Amino acid sequence: MTRLEQLISRGRSPLGPPVSVDLGAGLYGELATLLAHTNGFTVFNAGVQLFHLGERGLGPELRNWNADQTWRHAYGSLTDGLFFFAQDLFGVQFAIEDNSRVCTFDPETGEREVFGGSLEDWADWLLADPDERGAYSFATHWQDTHGALDHDQRLLPRTLFVLGGSYDDDNLVAEDAVTCMLVRGPIASQIHDLPDGATIRFDAG
């Protein structure tokens, strides 16, 4: 089994009915092949969610999620060149960058971290540390304590992590995934280029 097959075998799928789609060559082509095989899935007890394609299905839909009017507009140019295909429990996005690299996108800062050049690399990266990179233990703890998350929900910190918020239950709330991104987008746009340790002041007006 490939690492991607191993990842899928550990999850729950599909999230949508069978699809056949042409997304072009490169990494987009890899994604199309994956969706034709498994149209969306969750893994690590919903710690990671791969979006389904098509109107019918559970959780965010791939094309709608990437539409500017859904949430990307809140981040301005920070999402340029990215196509988002999955997210973790806290809304960290997994994206294809310029159809040649796979990266994470931090919803609180807009920072990117490239970690591979294929979806196989993405699966290998997740499987190397499911708890840290896939939020496995925390997803299990949260749902054992608070009940199952809806497919459209992610966890939003009341005080953002980048502003010193903790990963304690008291600082987290389950919210609609789009709302989670819209809340953090304007903040990420303000602090993206600030140096570490800079004083942050938000305009309440």
Side-chain angles (χ1 to χ4, degrees):
M1 295 177 69
T2 67
R3 297 296 271 172
L4 190 54
E5 289 170 338
Q6 291 177 44
L7 185 69
I8 295 170
S9 72
R10 293 183 57 169
R12 296 181 179 180
S13 64
L15 299 181
V19 293
S20 178
V21 61
D22 183 2
L23 296 178
L27 276 170
Y28 294 152
E30 289 188 23
L31 180 59
T33 299
L34 171 58
L35 292 170
H37 178 273
T38 305
N39 190 14
F41 64 87
T42 60
V43 69
F44 308 142
N45 207 0
V48 171
Q49 174 187 61
L50 178 91
F51 307 133
H52 72 92
L53 180 66
E55 293 182 3
R56 294 169 51 208
L58 300 172
E61 193 276 330
L62 183 68
R63 287 196 172 113
N64 182 62
W65 188 256
N66 280 278
D68 183 70
Q69 65 268 23
T70 301
W71 61 265
R72 293 176 69 127
H73 64 277
Y75 286 82
S77 63
L78 294 182
T79 65
D80 287 357
L82 297 179
F83 188 78
F84 302 98
F85 65 90
Q87 63 181 340
D88 79 2
L89 181 69
F90 304 104
V92 173
Q93 301 294 303
F94 298 104
I96 293 171
E97 183 180 48
D98 298 328
N99 199 20
S100 61
R101 299 173 293 276
V102 184
C103 69
T104 57
F105 177 84
D106 189 319
E108 296 189 359
T109 65
E111 293 180 356
R112 309 177 186 189
E113 179 184 346
V114 175
F115 57 83
S118 68
L119 295 184
E120 182 74 4
D121 290 341
W122 172 64
D124 186 62
W125 184 83
L126 286 172
L127 289 168
D129 194 343
D131 287 333
E132 181 68 24
R133 297 172 177 176
Y136 191 12
S137 292
F138 201 97
T140 301
H141 157 75
W142 177 271
Q143 292 175 102
D144 284 349
T145 304
H146 302 280
L149 287 167
D150 185 85
H151 283 86
D152 287 306
Q153 290 181 319
R154 297 286 88 184
L155 296 186
L156 177 69
R158 301 176 192 275
T159 299
L160 299 187
F161 303 132
V162 72
L163 300 180
S166 70
Y167 284 82
D168 297 333
D169 286 15
D170 289 345
N171 188 48
L172 293 164
V173 60
E175 288 284 359
D176 177 78
V178 172
T179 299
C180 291
M181 300 303 290
L182 290 172
V183 165
R184 292 175 290 193
I187 298 172
S189 297
Q190 292 184 60
I191 69 177
H192 178 71
D193 294 321
L194 294 179
D196 291 344
T199 300
I200 301 171
R201 179 176 300 159
F202 297 108
D203 182 1

